[in-house]
Amino acid sequence: MTLTKIFCAAVAGLGLSAVQAADIAATFDHAALSKRLGAPCAVQEMQRRAAIIPVTSGLDPAPEYRTKGLTFVMQSAHFDAKMHARADKIYATIPHHTRALTYNDGGVFVWSRYGLAESLPSRKNAANGYTTPGLYLEYERRLYFPFMLADVRKNKNGTYRSIGFYEEIARGFRIANHETGHMADDILGNYSVEDGAGPAEGRLTDRRDYRTAITDDLRHIRGTKPDVVALDYYMPIRIGGKQDEGQRLRREVFAELWAEASGQGGSNLSRHYPRTYATVKSYFDYLKNVYEAGGSACEYRKDGRAVPVLKR
């Protein structure tokens, strides 16, 4: 019995039909992904260790936020007990199968208190060091989430400084899952074998099925010109949005729809991108089904250990 047949049998009733499961499994390196996510927890630790990308820059990130062994989740030394608990609660909203993917491929979650500038000192002289609520750095495979943002003032020399921090936590659940969507786009895309051409070494947002879906939705959006005030970050410039109709738009729409598939899509973007959402949801469900059909269930702890659990 092939891995694909075993997978299709295992996912019956889990969200994808056997036909759908077989179709999408054929567009990924299903055997490699199944083997990786289904490995014993001790093996997953070794896989993680080999996948972590060393951070060597002197300023990016700060020394206390450098890669430390297997560390999966880092939290600011400035956090009090309440903030640690809040960060844990936000992290817990990220679906377990998504965590399994990011864990095994060396992802790191970083929570700072005082803007991105705390964990990324190179951002101290830029406005986005204080005003960005979340950031994924692909070349480090790291996610950054600040608890407090700041009002900023521009200095005469063109740099910026903070003039007062305020807590920005209301959107934390959505932002964490949005940024994790960027990581999933990056990592799961490396398992894509769409068109049978072998590993794509790209992103899910570069796949043909995703590009076709978003093109269809954008055609409808350009024709109907919806009110984009609340969703301008995910809309094209030509109708009053903020994004060029290229890779950046594809990636931001994907991340927000991944958050929605994760149960944290407060923007309800799928109403404007229904075909794109269906495509993103198919990737999300496929990953979930691969994980649930695997042989190992692990708890992924902050320090990077993968500990066996009796039940998922």
Side-chain angles (χ1 to χ4, degrees), residues 18-79:
V19 173
Q20 289 173 314
D23 286 346
I24 196 166
T27 68
F28 286 92
D29 188 344
H30 183 70
L33 186 60
S34 298
K35 181 178 179 181
R36 196 165 184 83
L37 298 186
C41 300
V43 174
Q44 291 192 39
E45 283 191 14
M46 291 190 291
Q47 291 174 168
R48 174 173 178 76
R49 188 179 298 278
I52 289 176
I53 299 173
V55 179
T56 58
S57 169
L59 292 176
D60 205 12
E64 61 269 33
Y65 292 101
R66 299 283 178 85
T67 302
K68 300 174 182 178
L70 290 170
T71 302
F72 190 33
V73 179
M74 297 183 184
Q75 293 178 359
S76 172
H78 298 289
F79 278 5

Side-chain angles (χ1 to χ4, degrees), residues 102-146:
T102 60
Y103 175 89
N104 275 275
D105 275 75
V108 179
F109 292 79
V110 178
W111 268 272
S112 60
R113 183 173 186 178
Y114 299 107
L116 293 176
E118 176 191 323
S119 51
L120 299 171
S122 60
R123 267 65 173 176
K124 282 187 176 180
N125 291 326
N128 67 7
Y130 303 98
T131 59
T132 301
L135 176 68
Y136 173 53
L137 292 183
E138 183 175 340
Y139 62 88
E140 295 178 356
R141 206 165 286 156
R142 283 171 164 240
L143 294 162
Y144 291 87
F145 309 100

Side-chain angles (χ1 to χ4, degrees), residues 67-220:
T67 302
K68 300 174 182 178
L70 290 170
T71 302
F72 190 33
V73 179
M74 297 183 184
Q75 293 178 359
S76 172
H78 298 289
F79 278 5
D80 57 23
K82 184 177 179 181
M83 283 187 159
H84 280 298
R86 187 180 299 147
D88 290 345
K89 186 176 181 180
I90 293 173
Y91 169 72
T93 69
I94 298 168
H96 202 82
H97 62 282
T98 305
R99 276 184 265 165
L101 177 75
T102 60
Y103 175 89
N104 275 275
D105 275 75
V108 179
F109 292 79
V110 178
W111 268 272
S112 60
R113 183 173 186 178
Y114 299 107
L116 293 176
E118 176 191 323
S119 51
L120 299 171
S122 60
R123 267 65 173 176
K124 282 187 176 180
N125 291 326
N128 67 7
Y130 303 98
T131 59
T132 301
L135 176 68
Y136 173 53
L137 292 183
E138 183 175 340
Y139 62 88
E140 295 178 356
R141 206 165 286 156
R142 283 171 164 240
L143 294 162
Y144 291 87
F145 309 100
F147 263 21
M148 300 182 77
L149 303 183
D151 293 316
V152 297
R153 184 166 296 166
K154 193 171 185 178
N155 299 316
K156 290 182 179 180
N157 64 359
T159 62
Y160 292 82
R161 68 182 186 276
S162 65
I163 57 174
F165 284 91
Y166 58 92
E167 288 197 41
E168 180 62 81
I169 60 172
R171 297 179 297 165
F173 300 132
R174 182 184 66 78
I175 289 170
N177 281 275
H178 172 106
E179 297 301 332
T180 304
H182 282 306
M183 190 185 283
D185 179 16
D186 174 24
I187 295 175
L188 190 55
N190 287 330
Y191 292 92
S192 177
V193 291
E194 192 183 36
D195 299 324
E201 295 297 330
R203 304 185 183 96
L204 294 174
T205 47
D206 292 327
R207 282 172 55 105
R208 184 183 58 197
D209 54 353
Y210 180 84
R211 293 168 69 106
T212 297
I214 196 170
T215 296
D216 288 345
D217 284 333
L218 283 170
R219 187 178 297 115
H220 179 74

